[in-house]
Amino acid sequence: MAPPAPPPSRVFAELDLAPAPTPEGRVGAPAQPVREVHVSGSAELSARPDRARAAVAARSSVSRRLQYITHSARLRGVPEENMTVTEDFSRVENTYQMEAEVCIIFSDFGKMQNVCNLLIEKLGTSVTIDPPHFYHTPEAIDTLRRQVCVTAVGNTRQKAQEVCRLFGQALGKPLLIKEEETKEWGGHIDSHLSHSADSQTLQERIQNATAFASCRVFAVFEIKGKENRRNKLL
């Protein structure tokens, strides 16, 4: 299911150049004017899944095929800790049957496709390969959350600069930065359950597992004064 359309952009800016009132009864130099710019900004980013889990089931001459599967994965840079082998024995009439499953976690989807294609080519019908299950590690989701917040703050500062430049002013230091709203949708973190239809293509599975995040921040910046003419020309 496609992610919901992002809400319409909202632009808000307030430029305050009015002088602050002088306290009643106080004698002396007039108070310095309050010079602030108030802006709000937002950002929206997405993150494709960074992990995929592929399960390969081997039957008949299991041990030899297991060795070939794990060896092929290691040759393509898959670490040992990213491979899990499960063996299952069962009795069929007067014989015993063994089935095994190798679960491999990939961070490189191109390598995943190469390994799966190689196993199908070399082992044929003696193996079955389940459709890959795409997901995000917690670290990838945390990175997306930080990036969307930082991007929203950067957009807010850029907007404040443009507002100040419109009035011939120079932007100063931030006085307040507040995260007002964050949203996340789509994608999923590591889970053994996949609700994707088997008929979906690889790209459709990646798209359905892509995570989206948006962030809106409010900021107040100091206005330093008239914009330097040299900087304005630049």
Side-chain angles (χ1 to χ4, degrees):
M1 182 176 67
S9 300
R10 188 186 70 166
V11 179
F12 169 79
E14 176 184 333
L15 192 68
D16 189 353
L17 301 178
T22 303
E24 185 177 356
R26 179 173 294 182
V27 179
Q32 295 295 320
V34 178
R35 305 177 62 81
E36 298 176 352
V37 57
H38 298 201
V39 293
S40 64
S42 61
E44 180 181 310
L45 299 176
S46 64
R48 289 161 64 93
D50 63 328
R51 291 293 187 275
R53 184 187 296 109
V56 183
R59 301 177 180 85
S60 177
S61 302
V62 174
S63 297
R64 181 167 56 86
R65 284 171 169 77
L66 283 179
Q67 292 176 358
Y68 184 82
I69 292 170
T70 56
H71 180 68
S72 299
R74 280 194 295 267
L75 284 179
R76 283 152 184 83
V78 178
E80 197 74 34
E81 59 269 21
N82 283 6
M83 290 185 285
T84 303
V85 179
T86 304
E87 299 177 355
D88 177 57
F89 287 90
S90 60
R91 185 169 181 172
V92 180
E93 296 181 349
N94 295 326
T95 63
Y96 289 93
Q97 177 177 300
M98 176 182 174
E99 294 186 359
E101 182 182 84
V102 183
C103 186
I104 308 174
I105 297 177
F106 293 90
S107 58
D108 186 322
F109 301 161
K111 289 182 179 180
M112 178 191 69
Q113 287 183 284
N114 291 338
V115 171
C116 292
N117 292 340
L118 175 68
L119 297 179
I120 291 175
E121 178 186 352
K122 298 298 184 181
L123 301 181
T125 57
S126 64
V127 300
T128 58
I129 300 180
D130 291 342
H133 166 60
F134 295 98
Y135 64 96
H136 294 85
T137 58
E139 293 78 12
I141 294 296
D142 287 341
T143 298
L144 175 63
R145 290 167 179 161
R146 291 194 301 270
Q147 287 179 340
V148 73
C149 180
V150 171
T151 302
V153 172
N155 292 343
T156 302
R157 183 177 184 276
Q158 182 178 0
K159 183 188 296 184
Q161 285 180 320
E162 294 175 358
V163 170
C164 288
R165 188 175 296 117
L166 181 65
F167 293 93
Q169 305 293 314
L171 185 68
K173 63 183 179 181
L175 303 177
L176 171 68
I177 297 177
K178 181 174 66 174
E179 190 177 63
E180 291 189 325
E181 182 184 61
T182 58
K183 292 182 179 179
E184 298 177 16
W185 65 95
H188 48 272
I189 303 178
D190 188 3
S191 172
H192 291 282
L193 299 177
S194 177
H195 302 286
S196 302
D198 292 341
S199 60
Q200 288 181 332
T201 66
L202 189 67
Q203 289 301 320
E204 287 174 337
R205 290 175 179 273
I206 293 176
Q207 180 61 34
N208 288 339
T210 297
F212 296 83
S214 66
C215 177
R216 187 175 73 242
V217 299
F218 174 78
V220 177
F221 293 89
E222 179 187 24
I223 298 176
K224 292 192 298 187
K226 292 292 184 180
E227 186 179 21
N228 185 283
R229 180 175 177 80
R230 180 175 177 271
N231 293 338
K232 187 174 182 180
L233 292 176
L234 294 177

Short mmCIF file of all heavy atoms in Angstrom, two decimals, residues 14-63:
data_model
loop_
_atom_site.label_atom_id
_atom_site.label_comp_id
_atom_site.label_asym_id
_atom_site.label_seq_id
_atom_site.Cartn_x
_atom_site.Cartn_y
_atom_site.Cartn_z
N GLU A 14 7.23 35.27 11.29
CA GLU A 14 6.85 36.49 11.98
C GLU A 14 8.11 37.28 12.26
O GLU A 14 9.06 36.77 12.84
CB GLU A 14 6.14 36.14 13.30
CG GLU A 14 5.80 37.38 14.14
CD GLU A 14 5.18 36.97 15.47
OE1 GLU A 14 4.59 35.89 15.54
OE2 GLU A 14 5.32 37.74 16.43
N LEU A 15 8.15 38.51 11.81
CA LEU A 15 9.32 39.38 12.00
C LEU A 15 8.93 40.48 12.97
O LEU A 15 8.00 41.23 12.72
CB LEU A 15 9.76 39.97 10.66
CG LEU A 15 11.12 40.67 10.64
CD1 LEU A 15 12.22 39.63 10.83
CD2 LEU A 15 11.34 41.40 9.33
N ASP A 16 9.63 40.56 14.08
CA ASP A 16 9.31 41.53 15.13
C ASP A 16 10.46 42.51 15.27
O ASP A 16 11.53 42.17 15.76
CB ASP A 16 9.08 40.80 16.46
CG ASP A 16 8.53 41.73 17.54
OD1 ASP A 16 8.47 42.94 17.27
OD2 ASP A 16 8.19 41.23 18.62
N LEU A 17 10.23 43.75 14.80
CA LEU A 17 11.23 44.80 14.90
C LEU A 17 10.77 45.94 15.80
O LEU A 17 11.41 46.99 15.87
CB LEU A 17 11.57 45.36 13.51
CG LEU A 17 12.12 44.33 12.50
CD1 LEU A 17 12.36 45.00 11.17
CD2 LEU A 17 13.40 43.72 13.02
N ALA A 18 9.63 45.78 16.46
CA ALA A 18 9.09 46.87 17.29
C ALA A 18 9.92 47.04 18.55
O ALA A 18 10.40 46.06 19.13
CB ALA A 18 7.65 46.55 17.67
N PRO A 19 10.11 48.31 19.02
CA PRO A 19 10.87 48.52 20.25
C PRO A 19 10.09 48.06 21.45
O PRO A 19 8.86 48.11 21.48
CB PRO A 19 11.08 50.03 20.26
CG PRO A 19 9.95 50.58 19.47
CD PRO A 19 9.66 49.56 18.41
N ALA A 20 10.82 47.55 22.44
CA ALA A 20 10.17 47.12 23.68
C ALA A 20 9.74 48.34 24.47
O ALA A 20 10.41 49.37 24.47
CB ALA A 20 11.15 46.28 24.50
N PRO A 21 8.60 48.28 25.20
CA PRO A 21 8.13 49.43 25.98
C PRO A 21 9.07 49.73 27.15
O PRO A 21 9.65 48.82 27.74
CB PRO A 21 6.76 48.98 26.45
CG PRO A 21 6.82 47.47 26.44
CD PRO A 21 7.71 47.12 25.30
N THR A 22 9.20 51.04 27.48
CA THR A 22 10.04 51.45 28.61
C THR A 22 9.23 51.33 29.88
O THR A 22 8.10 51.80 29.96
CB THR A 22 10.49 52.91 28.42
OG1 THR A 22 11.18 53.01 27.18
CG2 THR A 22 11.39 53.34 29.57
N PRO A 23 9.76 50.63 30.90
CA PRO A 23 9.02 50.48 32.17
C PRO A 23 8.65 51.85 32.74
O PRO A 23 9.42 52.79 32.69
CB PRO A 23 10.00 49.73 33.06
CG PRO A 23 10.94 49.04 32.11
CD PRO A 23 11.05 49.95 30.94
N GLU A 24 7.43 51.94 33.26
CA GLU A 24 6.92 53.20 33.80
C GLU A 24 7.76 53.67 34.99
O GLU A 24 8.12 52.89 35.87
CB GLU A 24 5.46 53.00 34.23
CG GLU A 24 4.80 54.29 34.69
CD GLU A 24 3.34 54.07 35.03
OE1 GLU A 24 2.85 52.94 34.84
OE2 GLU A 24 2.71 55.02 35.49
N GLY A 25 8.09 54.98 34.96
CA GLY A 25 8.83 55.57 36.07
C GLY A 25 10.33 55.42 35.97
O GLY A 25 11.06 55.96 36.79
N ARG A 26 10.84 54.68 34.96
CA ARG A 26 12.28 54.49 34.84
C ARG A 26 12.86 55.60 33.97
O ARG A 26 12.35 55.91 32.90
CB ARG A 26 12.59 53.12 34.25
CG ARG A 26 14.09 52.87 34.09
CD ARG A 26 14.38 51.45 33.67
NE ARG A 26 13.99 50.52 34.74
CZ ARG A 26 14.17 49.20 34.66
NH1 ARG A 26 14.71 48.70 33.56
NH2 ARG A 26 13.80 48.42 35.65
N VAL A 27 13.93 56.19 34.43
CA VAL A 27 14.60 57.27 33.71
C VAL A 27 15.91 56.75 33.16
O VAL A 27 16.65 56.06 33.85
CB VAL A 27 14.86 58.48 34.64
CG1 VAL A 27 15.57 59.58 33.88
CG2 VAL A 27 13.56 58.98 35.23
N GLY A 28 16.20 57.10 31.95
CA GLY A 28 17.47 56.68 31.36
C GLY A 28 17.31 56.47 29.87
O GLY A 28 16.33 56.92 29.26
N ALA A 29 18.33 55.82 29.29
CA ALA A 29 18.31 55.59 27.85
C ALA A 29 17.15 54.66 27.48
O ALA A 29 16.78 53.78 28.25
CB ALA A 29 19.63 54.96 27.40
N PRO A 30 16.56 54.84 26.33
CA PRO A 30 15.45 53.98 25.90
C PRO A 30 15.92 52.54 25.74
O PRO A 30 17.07 52.28 25.40
CB PRO A 30 15.02 54.59 24.56
CG PRO A 30 16.22 55.34 24.07
CD PRO A 30 16.90 55.85 25.31
N ALA A 31 15.03 51.60 26.02
CA ALA A 31 15.38 50.18 25.91
C ALA A 31 15.66 49.81 24.46
O ALA A 31 15.13 50.41 23.53
CB ALA A 31 14.23 49.33 26.45
N GLN A 32 16.55 48.81 24.29
CA GLN A 32 16.87 48.34 22.95
C GLN A 32 15.66 47.63 22.36
O GLN A 32 14.90 46.97 23.08
CB GLN A 32 18.05 47.36 23.01
CG GLN A 32 19.36 48.00 23.46
CD GLN A 32 19.83 49.04 22.46
OE1 GLN A 32 19.72 48.83 21.25
NE2 GLN A 32 20.32 50.16 22.97
N PRO A 33 15.45 47.78 21.07
CA PRO A 33 14.30 47.13 20.45
C PRO A 33 14.43 45.61 20.48
O PRO A 33 15.52 45.07 20.46
CB PRO A 33 14.33 47.66 19.01
CG PRO A 33 15.75 48.03 18.77
CD PRO A 33 16.26 48.53 20.10
N VAL A 34 13.28 44.93 20.58
CA VAL A 34 13.26 43.48 20.50
C VAL A 34 13.43 43.08 19.04
O VAL A 34 12.65 43.49 18.18
CB VAL A 34 11.93 42.94 21.05
CG1 VAL A 34 11.88 41.42 20.91
CG2 VAL A 34 11.76 43.35 22.50
N ARG A 35 14.46 42.31 18.76
CA ARG A 35 14.76 41.95 17.38
C ARG A 35 14.81 40.43 17.29
O ARG A 35 15.80 39.80 17.64
CB ARG A 35 16.08 42.58 16.93
CG ARG A 35 16.11 44.10 17.10
CD ARG A 35 17.47 44.67 16.73
NE ARG A 35 17.77 44.42 15.33
CZ ARG A 35 17.32 45.16 14.32
NH1 ARG A 35 16.51 46.19 14.56
NH2 ARG A 35 17.63 44.89 13.08
N GLU A 36 13.71 39.85 16.87
CA GLU A 36 13.61 38.41 16.76
C GLU A 36 12.87 38.04 15.49
O GLU A 36 12.06 38.82 14.99
CB GLU A 36 12.85 37.80 17.96
CG GLU A 36 13.52 38.04 19.30
CD GLU A 36 12.66 37.51 20.44
OE1 GLU A 36 11.51 37.10 20.16
OE2 GLU A 36 13.14 37.51 21.59
N VAL A 37 13.14 36.85 14.99
CA VAL A 37 12.37 36.30 13.89
C VAL A 37 11.87 34.93 14.33
O VAL A 37 12.63 34.11 14.83
CB VAL A 37 13.20 36.20 12.58
CG1 VAL A 37 14.44 35.37 12.75
CG2 VAL A 37 12.34 35.65 11.44
N HIS A 38 10.55 34.71 14.20
CA HIS A 38 9.93 33.45 14.58
C HIS A 38 9.56 32.69 13.32
O HIS A 38 8.87 33.24 12.44
CB HIS A 38 8.66 33.71 15.40
CG HIS A 38 8.91 34.43 16.69
ND1 HIS A 38 8.03 34.38 17.74
CD2 HIS A 38 9.94 35.21 17.11
CE1 HIS A 38 8.50 35.11 18.75
NE2 HIS A 38 9.65 35.63 18.37
N VAL A 39 9.99 31.46 13.20
CA VAL A 39 9.71 30.68 11.99
C VAL A 39 9.34 29.26 12.39
O VAL A 39 9.70 28.77 13.46
CB VAL A 39 10.92 30.64 11.03
CG1 VAL A 39 11.21 32.01 10.47
CG2 VAL A 39 12.16 30.09 11.73
N SER A 40 8.60 28.59 11.53
CA SER A 40 8.34 27.17 11.68
C SER A 40 8.71 26.49 10.37
O SER A 40 8.59 27.08 9.30
CB SER A 40 6.87 26.90 12.03
OG SER A 40 6.03 27.32 10.96
N GLY A 41 9.21 25.29 10.45
CA GLY A 41 9.62 24.57 9.25
C GLY A 41 9.34 23.09 9.43
O GLY A 41 9.09 22.61 10.53
N SER A 42 9.39 22.37 8.34
CA SER A 42 9.11 20.94 8.40
C SER A 42 9.97 20.21 7.39
O SER A 42 10.57 20.82 6.50
CB SER A 42 7.62 20.66 8.12
OG SER A 42 7.28 21.11 6.82
N ALA A 43 10.07 18.90 7.55
CA ALA A 43 10.84 18.06 6.63
C ALA A 43 10.21 16.68 6.60
O ALA A 43 9.55 16.26 7.55
CB ALA A 43 12.30 17.97 7.07
N GLU A 44 10.41 16.00 5.49
CA GLU A 44 9.92 14.63 5.35
C GLU A 44 10.98 13.82 4.62
O GLU A 44 11.49 14.23 3.58
CB GLU A 44 8.62 14.59 4.58
CG GLU A 44 8.05 13.20 4.39
CD GLU A 44 6.76 13.21 3.60
OE1 GLU A 44 5.87 13.99 3.95
OE2 GLU A 44 6.66 12.43 2.63
N LEU A 45 11.38 12.68 5.19
CA LEU A 45 12.38 11.81 4.60
C LEU A 45 11.85 10.38 4.57
O LEU A 45 10.86 10.06 5.22
CB LEU A 45 13.69 11.86 5.41
CG LEU A 45 14.40 13.21 5.52
CD1 LEU A 45 15.61 13.07 6.44
CD2 LEU A 45 14.81 13.73 4.16
N SER A 46 12.53 9.53 3.84
CA SER A 46 12.18 8.12 3.82
C SER A 46 13.46 7.30 3.88
O SER A 46 14.54 7.78 3.54
CB SER A 46 11.39 7.75 2.55
OG SER A 46 12.20 7.94 1.40
N ALA A 47 13.34 6.06 4.33
CA ALA A 47 14.49 5.16 4.42
C ALA A 47 14.09 3.80 3.89
O ALA A 47 13.13 3.19 4.36
CB ALA A 47 14.97 5.04 5.87
N ARG A 48 14.82 3.33 2.87
CA ARG A 48 14.58 1.98 2.36
C ARG A 48 15.03 0.97 3.41
O ARG A 48 15.89 1.27 4.23
CB ARG A 48 15.35 1.77 1.06
CG ARG A 48 14.77 2.54 -0.12
CD ARG A 48 15.80 2.67 -1.23
NE ARG A 48 16.18 1.39 -1.80
CZ ARG A 48 15.61 0.84 -2.86
NH1 ARG A 48 14.60 1.45 -3.44
NH2 ARG A 48 16.03 -0.32 -3.34
N PRO A 49 14.45 -0.22 3.43
CA PRO A 49 14.89 -1.21 4.41
C PRO A 49 16.37 -1.50 4.25
O PRO A 49 16.91 -1.45 3.14
CB PRO A 49 14.03 -2.44 4.06
CG PRO A 49 13.57 -2.21 2.66
CD PRO A 49 13.43 -0.73 2.51
N ASP A 50 17.05 -1.76 5.36
CA ASP A 50 18.50 -1.99 5.30
C ASP A 50 18.86 -3.45 5.55
O ASP A 50 20.04 -3.79 5.59
CB ASP A 50 19.21 -1.10 6.32
CG ASP A 50 18.82 -1.41 7.75
OD1 ASP A 50 17.67 -1.81 7.97
OD2 ASP A 50 19.68 -1.24 8.64
N ARG A 51 17.88 -4.33 5.74
CA ARG A 51 18.14 -5.75 5.93
C ARG A 51 17.10 -6.57 5.18
O ARG A 51 15.96 -6.14 5.00
CB ARG A 51 18.11 -6.12 7.42
CG ARG A 51 19.25 -5.55 8.24
CD ARG A 51 20.58 -6.15 7.86
NE ARG A 51 21.62 -5.70 8.76
CZ ARG A 51 22.30 -4.57 8.64
NH1 ARG A 51 22.01 -3.75 7.63
NH2 ARG A 51 23.25 -4.25 9.50
N ALA A 52 17.51 -7.78 4.75
CA ALA A 52 16.60 -8.73 4.12
C ALA A 52 16.95 -10.12 4.62
O ALA A 52 18.12 -10.46 4.77
CB ALA A 52 16.70 -8.68 2.60
N ARG A 53 15.93 -10.91 4.91
CA ARG A 53 16.13 -12.27 5.39
C ARG A 53 15.63 -13.22 4.33
O ARG A 53 14.47 -13.16 3.90
CB ARG A 53 15.37 -12.49 6.70
CG ARG A 53 15.61 -13.86 7.31
CD ARG A 53 14.71 -14.13 8.52
NE ARG A 53 15.01 -13.20 9.60
CZ ARG A 53 14.19 -12.22 9.96
NH1 ARG A 53 13.06 -12.04 9.32
NH2 ARG A 53 14.50 -11.43 10.96
N ALA A 54 16.49 -14.15 3.87
CA ALA A 54 16.12 -15.14 2.86
C ALA A 54 16.27 -16.52 3.46
O ALA A 54 17.29 -16.85 4.07
CB ALA A 54 17.00 -15.00 1.62
N ALA A 55 15.24 -17.35 3.28
CA ALA A 55 15.25 -18.71 3.82
C ALA A 55 15.38 -19.69 2.66
O ALA A 55 14.62 -19.64 1.69
CB ALA A 55 13.98 -18.98 4.61
N VAL A 56 16.34 -20.61 2.76
CA VAL A 56 16.59 -21.61 1.74
C VAL A 56 16.41 -22.99 2.37
O VAL A 56 17.10 -23.34 3.33
CB VAL A 56 18.02 -21.49 1.17
CG1 VAL A 56 18.22 -22.51 0.05
CG2 VAL A 56 18.29 -20.08 0.67
N ALA A 57 15.46 -23.77 1.87
CA ALA A 57 15.21 -25.11 2.39
C ALA A 57 15.86 -26.14 1.48
O ALA A 57 15.71 -26.09 0.25
CB ALA A 57 13.71 -25.37 2.50
N ALA A 58 16.62 -27.06 2.07
CA ALA A 58 17.33 -28.08 1.30
C ALA A 58 16.80 -29.46 1.65
O ALA A 58 16.58 -29.77 2.82
CB ALA A 58 18.82 -28.00 1.56
N ARG A 59 16.62 -30.32 0.63
CA ARG A 59 16.17 -31.68 0.82
C ARG A 59 17.08 -32.63 0.03
O ARG A 59 17.59 -32.26 -1.01
CB ARG A 59 14.72 -31.85 0.35
CG ARG A 59 13.71 -30.95 1.05
CD ARG A 59 12.32 -31.14 0.46
NE ARG A 59 11.36 -30.29 1.13
CZ ARG A 59 11.13 -29.03 0.79
NH1 ARG A 59 11.81 -28.48 -0.20
NH2 ARG A 59 10.22 -28.31 1.44
N SER A 60 17.25 -33.83 0.54
CA SER A 60 18.05 -34.85 -0.13
C SER A 60 19.52 -34.46 -0.15
O SER A 60 19.89 -33.37 -0.59
CB SER A 60 17.54 -35.08 -1.57
OG SER A 60 18.33 -36.02 -2.24
N SER A 61 20.36 -35.39 0.31
CA SER A 61 21.80 -35.11 0.45
C SER A 61 21.99 -33.78 1.18
O SER A 61 22.71 -32.89 0.73
CB SER A 61 22.48 -35.07 -0.93
OG SER A 61 22.29 -36.28 -1.61
N VAL A 62 21.32 -33.66 2.29
CA VAL A 62 21.20 -32.38 2.97
C VAL A 62 22.54 -31.81 3.37
O VAL A 62 22.82 -30.63 3.17
CB VAL A 62 20.26 -32.50 4.19
CG1 VAL A 62 20.25 -31.21 4.99
CG2 VAL A 62 18.86 -32.83 3.73
N SER A 63 23.39 -32.62 3.98
CA SER A 63 24.66 -32.11 4.50
C SER A 63 25.49 -31.46 3.40
O SER A 63 26.05 -30.38 3.58
CB SER A 63 25.45 -33.24 5.15
OG SER A 63 24.74 -33.75 6.27
#
